[in-house]
Coordinates of all heavy atoms in Angstrom, one line a residue:
A1 N -12.5 -97.8 -174.0 CA -13.5 -96.8 -173.7 C -14.1 -96.0 -174.8 O -13.4 -95.7 -175.8 CB -13.0 -95.8 -172.6
D2 N -15.4 -95.8 -174.8 CA -16.0 -94.7 -175.6 C -16.0 -93.4 -174.8 O -15.9 -92.4 -175.4 CB -17.5 -95.2 -176.0 CG -17.5 -96.4 -176.8 OD1 -16.8 -96.4 -177.9 OD2 -18.2 -97.4 -176.5
R3 N -16.3 -93.5 -173.5 CA -16.2 -92.4 -172.6 C -15.5 -92.8 -171.3 O -15.6 -94.0 -171.0 CB -17.6 -91.8 -172.3 CG -18.2 -91.0 -173.5 CD -19.3 -90.1 -173.0 NE -20.5 -91.0 -172.6 CZ -21.4 -90.6 -171.8 NH1 -21.4 -89.3 -171.3 NH2 -22.4 -91.4 -171.5
V4 N -14.9 -91.8 -170.6 CA -14.3 -92.1 -169.4 C -14.7 -91.0 -168.4 O -14.7 -89.8 -168.7 CB -12.8 -92.1 -169.5 CG1 -12.1 -92.3 -168.1 CG2 -12.3 -93.1 -170.4
T5 N -15.2 -91.5 -167.2 CA -15.5 -90.6 -166.1 C -14.5 -90.8 -165.0 O -14.2 -91.9 -164.6 CB -16.9 -90.8 -165.6 OG1 -17.9 -90.3 -166.5 CG2 -17.2 -90.1 -164.2
V6 N -13.9 -89.7 -164.5 CA -12.9 -89.8 -163.4 C -13.5 -89.3 -162.1 O -14.1 -88.2 -162.0 CB -11.7 -88.9 -163.7 CG1 -10.6 -89.0 -162.7 CG2 -11.1 -89.2 -165.1
L7 N -13.4 -90.2 -161.1 CA -13.8 -89.9 -159.7 C -12.6 -89.6 -158.8 O -11.6 -90.3 -159.0 CB -14.5 -91.1 -159.1 CG -16.1 -91.1 -159.1 CD1 -16.6 -92.4 -158.7 CD2 -16.6 -90.0 -158.1
R8 N -12.7 -88.6 -157.9 CA -11.6 -88.4 -157.0 C -12.3 -88.0 -155.6 O -13.0 -87.0 -155.6 CB -10.6 -87.3 -157.4 CG -9.4 -87.2 -156.5 CD -8.3 -86.3 -157.1 NE -8.6 -84.9 -157.1 CZ -8.6 -84.1 -158.1 NH1 -8.3 -84.6 -159.3 NH2 -8.8 -82.8 -158.0
D9 N -12.0 -88.7 -154.6 CA -12.6 -88.5 -153.3 C -14.1 -88.3 -153.3 O -14.7 -87.4 -152.7 CB -11.9 -87.2 -152.7 CG -10.4 -87.4 -152.4 OD1 -10.0 -88.5 -152.1 OD2 -9.7 -86.4 -152.6
G10 N -14.7 -89.2 -154.1 CA -16.2 -89.2 -154.2 C -16.8 -88.1 -155.0 O -18.0 -87.9 -155.0
V11 N -16.0 -87.3 -155.7 CA -16.4 -86.2 -156.5 C -16.1 -86.4 -158.0 O -15.1 -86.9 -158.3 CB -15.8 -84.9 -156.0 CG1 -16.2 -83.7 -156.9 CG2 -16.1 -84.6 -154.6
L12 N -17.1 -86.1 -158.8 CA -16.9 -86.1 -160.3 C -15.9 -85.1 -160.7 O -16.0 -83.9 -160.5 CB -18.2 -85.9 -161.0 CG -18.1 -85.7 -162.6 CD1 -17.6 -87.0 -163.2 CD2 -19.5 -85.3 -163.1
I13 N -14.7 -85.5 -161.3 CA -13.7 -84.6 -161.7 C -13.8 -84.2 -163.2 O -13.7 -83.1 -163.6 CB -12.3 -85.2 -161.5 CG1 -12.1 -85.5 -160.0 CG2 -11.2 -84.3 -162.0 CD1 -12.2 -84.2 -159.1
S14 N -14.1 -85.2 -164.0 CA -14.1 -85.0 -165.5 C -14.8 -86.2 -166.2 O -14.8 -87.3 -165.7 CB -12.7 -84.8 -166.1 OG -11.8 -85.8 -165.7
T15 N -15.3 -85.9 -167.4 CA -15.7 -87.0 -168.3 C -15.2 -86.7 -169.7 O -15.3 -85.5 -170.2 CB -17.3 -87.0 -168.3 OG1 -17.8 -87.4 -167.0 CG2 -17.8 -88.1 -169.3
Y16 N -14.6 -87.6 -170.3 CA -14.0 -87.5 -171.6 C -14.7 -88.4 -172.6 O -15.0 -89.5 -172.3 CB -12.5 -87.8 -171.6 CG -11.6 -86.9 -170.8 CD1 -11.3 -87.2 -169.5 CD2 -11.2 -85.6 -171.3 CE1 -10.5 -86.3 -168.7 CE2 -10.5 -84.8 -170.5 CZ -10.1 -85.1 -169.2 OH -9.4 -84.3 -168.4
D17 N -14.9 -87.9 -173.8 CA -15.6 -88.6 -174.9 C -14.5 -88.9 -176.0 O -13.8 -88.0 -176.4 CB -16.7 -87.8 -175.5 CG -17.6 -88.7 -176.3 OD1 -17.1 -89.5 -177.2 OD2 -18.9 -88.6 -176.2
K18 N -14.4 -90.1 -176.4 CA -13.4 -90.5 -177.4 C -13.6 -89.7 -178.7 O -12.7 -89.5 -179.4 CB -13.4 -92.0 -177.6 CG -12.1 -92.6 -178.2 CD -12.1 -94.1 -178.1 CE -10.7 -94.6 -178.4 NZ -10.6 -96.0 -178.1
K19 N -14.9 -89.4 -179.0 CA -15.2 -88.7 -180.2 C -14.6 -87.3 -180.2 O -14.2 -86.7 -181.2 CB -16.7 -88.6 -180.4 CG -17.3 -89.9 -180.7 CD -18.8 -89.8 -180.8 CE -19.5 -91.1 -181.0 NZ -21.0 -91.0 -181.1
D20 N -14.5 -86.7 -179.0 CA -14.1 -85.3 -178.9 C -12.6 -85.1 -178.6 O -12.0 -84.1 -179.0 CB -14.9 -84.6 -177.8 CG -16.4 -84.6 -178.0 OD1 -16.8 -84.6 -179.2 OD2 -17.1 -84.7 -177.0
A21 N -12.0 -86.1 -177.9 CA -10.6 -85.9 -177.6 C -10.0 -87.3 -177.4 O -10.6 -88.3 -177.1 CB -10.5 -85.1 -176.3
E22 N -8.7 -87.3 -177.6 CA -7.9 -88.6 -177.4 C -7.8 -88.9 -175.9 O -7.6 -88.0 -175.1 CB -6.5 -88.5 -178.0 CG -5.7 -89.8 -178.0 CD -4.4 -89.6 -178.6 OE1 -4.1 -88.5 -179.1 OE2 -3.6 -90.5 -178.5
L23 N -8.1 -90.1 -175.5 CA -8.0 -90.5 -174.1 C -6.6 -90.8 -173.7 O -6.2 -92.0 -173.9 CB -9.0 -91.7 -173.9 CG -10.4 -91.5 -174.2 CD1 -11.2 -92.8 -174.0 CD2 -11.0 -90.4 -173.4
K24 N -5.9 -89.9 -173.3 CA -4.5 -90.0 -173.0 C -4.3 -90.4 -171.5 O -4.8 -89.8 -170.6 CB -3.7 -88.8 -173.3 CG -3.7 -88.4 -174.7 CD -2.9 -87.1 -175.0 CE -2.8 -86.8 -176.5 NZ -2.1 -85.5 -176.7
P25 N -3.5 -91.5 -171.3 CA -3.2 -92.0 -169.9 C -2.7 -90.9 -169.0 O -3.0 -90.9 -167.8 CB -2.3 -93.1 -170.1 CG -2.6 -93.7 -171.5 CD -2.9 -92.5 -172.3
D26 N -1.8 -90.0 -169.5 CA -1.2 -89.0 -168.6 C -2.3 -88.0 -168.2 O -2.2 -87.5 -167.0 CB -0.1 -88.3 -169.3 CG -0.5 -87.6 -170.6 OD1 -1.5 -88.0 -171.2 OD2 0.2 -86.7 -171.0
I27 N -3.2 -87.7 -169.0 CA -4.3 -86.8 -168.6 C -5.2 -87.4 -167.6 O -5.6 -86.8 -166.6 CB -5.1 -86.3 -169.9 CG1 -4.2 -85.5 -170.8 CG2 -6.4 -85.5 -169.5 CD1 -4.9 -85.1 -172.1
L28 N -5.6 -88.7 -167.9 CA -6.5 -89.4 -167.0 C -5.8 -89.6 -165.6 O -6.5 -89.4 -164.6 CB -6.8 -90.8 -167.5 CG -7.6 -90.8 -168.9 CD1 -7.7 -92.2 -169.4 CD2 -8.9 -90.1 -168.7
S29 N -4.5 -89.9 -165.6 CA -3.8 -90.1 -164.3 C -3.7 -88.8 -163.5 O -3.9 -88.7 -162.3 CB -2.4 -90.7 -164.5 OG -1.6 -89.8 -165.2
R30 N -3.5 -87.7 -164.3 CA -3.5 -86.3 -163.6 C -4.8 -86.0 -162.9 O -4.9 -85.5 -161.8 CB -3.2 -85.3 -164.7 CG -3.2 -83.8 -164.1 CD -3.4 -82.8 -165.3 NE -4.8 -83.0 -165.8 CZ -5.2 -82.6 -167.0 NH1 -4.3 -81.9 -167.8 NH2 -6.4 -82.7 -167.4
D31 N -5.9 -86.3 -163.6 CA -7.2 -86.1 -163.1 C -7.5 -87.0 -161.8 O -8.2 -86.6 -160.9 CB -8.3 -86.3 -164.1 CG -8.4 -85.2 -165.1 OD1 -7.6 -84.2 -165.0 OD2 -9.2 -85.2 -166.0
M32 N -7.0 -88.2 -161.9 CA -7.2 -89.1 -160.8 C -6.6 -88.7 -159.5 O -7.2 -88.8 -158.4 CB -6.7 -90.5 -161.2 CG -7.6 -91.3 -162.1 SD -6.8 -92.8 -162.7 CE -6.6 -93.7 -161.2
V33 N -5.3 -88.2 -159.6 CA -4.6 -87.9 -158.4 C -4.5 -86.4 -158.1 O -4.0 -86.0 -157.1 CB -3.2 -88.5 -158.4 CG1 -3.3 -90.0 -158.6 CG2 -2.3 -87.9 -159.5
G34 N -4.9 -85.5 -159.1 CA -4.9 -84.1 -158.8 C -3.6 -83.4 -159.2 O -3.4 -82.3 -158.9

């Protein structure tokens, strides 16, 4: 990814840019499931 957008229950939760922050699986999974 260059950027990642997380959806949860049809709602935009977050968008991460690789330039600004490291895309960490634990952060992404937290956003996915709340």
